[in-house]
Amino acid sequence: MKKILFVINNMNIGGVPKSLVELLKCISCKYEISLYCADGEGAMLNDIPDDINILPACNIAKITEYSVDKCKKMGVIYYLLRVVLSSFSKSFGKNIPAKVLLTMMGKIKGEYDVAVSFVQPVHDKQFYNLSNEIVLKKVNAKRKITFVHCDFISYGGNTKYNRNLYKKFDAVAAVSDSVGKRFLEANEGLKDKVFTVLNCCDFENVAKLSEVDTVNYEKKTFVTVARLGKEKGHLRCVEIFSRLKSEGYDFEWHLIGGGDLEKVIKRKISELGMSDCIFLEGEQTNPYRYMKNADWFLLPSYHEAAPMVYNESACLKLPMLTTNTLSAVELVENRGAGEVCDNTDEAIYIMLKKALDGKIVVDFKNFSADNKNATLQFDYICKGEYHNQ
């Protein structure tokens, strides 16, 4: 049985840690798997399958994930390291700070057939998330792989430093064909290293949870499950829904999630008199109970990579309405799971109006509720036998 090590910066609630949990559920019976989480924390560690060996976190690595105040509680050495290395990174980049930290950090114990960095790096002016560097420098493994879960051109980390990191890996796993093609726009020389490994989904659990305390609605209902951040497009939709309401349409829109824009969105809802039809539900451990009986799943983002909620919505046969972001056509339109519109306010308005008028029809004919392709793709990339870009 092959030994595989996964490395991630943290396991806080979010798309990338959730993607890792779902992959581990699918492959844990095939491999002897260990997980190294740099900060050793995060609510989603509780969801890791029992047969996964979770390695202890190193205090030196933790300072890349901890706040200054948290490092201060660890001790003056960690506090000073955090302040100095972070300040240097902001001014000159994290090349030297990363080397300093990695020199101080011991090797991760063990010999592995494959080591996987499961998260893409942030901008190199930020002293944060050294998962790629740890896999490259501090792990003994025959084969080294890194993942891309983002629109590489748009996400903010498309730098020379990060592009050079990717060149050092044996393979790059993109979570959709579209994500891989976008990555190659910035990394043309890596064509032979880029593979697709689709996100896995626990379809059975999603269906089961959707039946727990299921929310019922009296009006036509839209549901959005996404962090309340600027890139998700919530604010523009408040205004679009206000326009539809003024035209006589009767509906509800439920927003599941928390984030930096929560107060701003709440204020906009109040200003436009939309409190009777737009509802902020906050973070939910079980968003599927809101999705089960809704009429549409709405994702009005300015940019996305390959959100896992596409699979989850399709699993519940919940039609999707989404803007044309990186993988939307590939994972929604081409699977008969919903409609994709141009990424403009007017196009969203037209799409929502069509939905309320009953003019959008879906059939889910090209959607399969299993993870066979995803796990096969991961098996191939571990062996170095698969290429599809």
Side-chain angles (χ1 to χ4, degrees):
M1 187 176 285
K2 281 193 174 185
K3 295 180 67 175
I4 300 181
L5 172 70
F6 284 87
V7 175
I8 193 168
N9 58 322
N10 68 64
M11 286 298 290
N12 298 330
I13 294 174
V16 174
K18 185 176 183 181
S19 175
L20 175 57
V21 168
E22 301 301 343
L23 176 60
L24 293 178
K25 286 179 183 178
C26 292
I27 65 171
S28 62
C29 61
K30 297 182 177 183
Y31 302 101
E32 183 182 334
I33 299 175
S34 297
L35 171 65
Y36 182 84
C37 175
D39 72 355
E41 300 177 3
M44 299 206 75
L45 280 174
N46 297 324
D47 299 327
I48 296 294
D50 293 337
D51 53 354
I52 303 300
N53 177 33
I54 301 178
L55 302 179
C58 164
N59 282 342
I60 291 294
K62 286 180 180 179
I63 69 171
T64 65
E65 306 303 313
Y66 281 8
S67 66
V68 171
D69 289 340
K70 204 167 181 178
C71 287
K72 187 180 292 186
K73 293 177 182 178
M74 291 174 64
V76 65
I77 298 290
Y78 300 106
Y79 167 72
L80 290 174
L81 272 172
R82 180 75 177 88
V83 171
V84 172
L85 296 180
S86 180
S87 297
F88 190 97
S89 297
K90 287 178 182 177
S91 299
F92 306 105
K94 68 178 179 182
N95 187 15
I96 292 176
K99 288 179 179 178
V100 170
L101 183 132
L102 292 170
T103 298
M104 299 177 69
M105 177 183 169
K107 282 265 190 182
I108 294 177
K109 292 182 179 179
E111 298 278 342
Y112 300 92
D113 295 291
V114 181
V116 182
S117 171
F118 200 73
V119 60
Q120 63 272 345
V122 296
H123 195 284
D124 43 280
K125 290 297 181 72
Q126 297 175 269
F127 188 63
Y128 169 69
N129 179 11
L130 297 183
S131 298
N132 278 316
E133 290 91 338
I134 290 172
V135 167
L136 289 170
K137 298 293 184 180
K138 310 307 292 186
V139 179
N140 291 319
K142 299 172 185 174
R143 184 168 174 79
K144 297 186 177 183
I145 298 167
T146 185
F147 267 72
V148 180
H149 301 262
C150 64
D151 178 338
F152 194 81
I153 301 294
S154 304
Y155 90 112
N158 178 18
T159 65
K160 182 178 179 180
Y161 174 86
N162 287 336
R163 291 193 296 272
N164 285 334
L165 280 180
Y166 281 104
K167 292 177 183 177
K168 299 174 183 177
F169 283 90
D170 297 298
V172 178
V175 293
S176 75
D177 289 346
S178 302
V179 167
K181 289 172 183 175
R182 185 71 161 165
F183 174 83
L184 285 171
E185 290 180 26
N187 299 273
E188 294 179 2
L190 300 184
K191 185 175 177 62
D192 292 335
K193 290 187 176 185
V194 178
F195 306 79
T196 296
V197 178
L198 296 172
N199 283 319
C200 292
C201 178
D202 191 340
F203 296 104
E204 183 177 339
N205 193 48
V206 169
K208 182 179 177 180
L209 288 172
S210 73
E211 301 288 350
V212 179
D213 297 325
T214 306
V215 179
N216 295 305
Y217 308 103
E218 295 182 358
K219 302 176 182 179
K220 294 292 186 181
T221 301
F222 302 84
V223 169
T224 298
V225 182
R227 184 174 60 83
L228 301 181
K230 183 178 179 181
E231 74 281 3
K232 300 298 182 181
H234 298 94
L235 270 177
R236 61 176 171 178
C237 272
V238 175
E239 297 190 357
I240 293 168
F241 275 119
S242 176
R243 179 180 172 186
L244 289 165
K245 182 182 179 182
S246 71
E247 294 174 359
Y249 288 97
D250 196 19
F251 55 83
E252 294 180 12
W253 182 29
H254 294 260
L255 284 70
I256 318 299
D260 298 339
L261 242 60
E262 183 171 352
K263 290 182 179 178
V264 177
I265 294 171
K266 187 178 294 185
R267 185 163 57 247
K268 177 66 72 173
I269 291 170
S270 178
E271 288 174 358
L272 295 177
M274 298 294 288
S275 300
D276 60 336
C277 51
I278 301 181
F279 306 95
L280 295 176
E281 305 290 358
E283 290 187 348
Q284 299 285 332
T285 56
N286 179 14
Y288 314 115
R289 68 190 191 95
Y290 288 89
M291 297 166 64
K292 172 69 175 177
N293 290 330
D295 295 284
W296 302 280
F297 184 89
L298 172 63
L299 195 61
S301 301
Y302 288 99
H303 60 86
E304 290 279 358
M308 295 181 67
V309 75
Y310 285 163
N311 279 336
E312 294 164 347
S313 294
C315 167
L316 297 175
K317 294 295 187 285
L318 175 59
M320 283 170 269
L321 307 174
T322 180
T323 45
N324 191 4
T325 53
L326 195 55
S327 302
V329 171
E330 176 187 346
L331 300 181
V332 176
E333 189 174 279
N334 290 350
R335 297 198 293 185
E339 179 147 323
V340 178
C341 73
D342 289 341
N343 210 326
T344 66
D345 293 5
E346 185 63 21
I348 296 171
Y349 162 76
I350 292 170
M351 179 174 67
L352 295 180
K353 189 170 183 176
K354 282 176 63 180
L356 288 166
D357 288 336
K359 295 181 179 179
I360 294 178
V361 179
V362 299
D363 54 25
F364 297 98
K365 63 181 179 181
N366 294 321
F367 172 74
S368 177
D370 64 54
N371 295 302
K372 291 179 181 177
N373 285 339
T375 54
L376 279 174
Q377 288 164 337
F378 183 78
D379 292 340
Y380 285 136
I381 197 173
C382 285
K383 298 173 184 176
E385 297 176 353
Y386 180 64
H387 176 68
N388 75 334
Q389 293 302 334

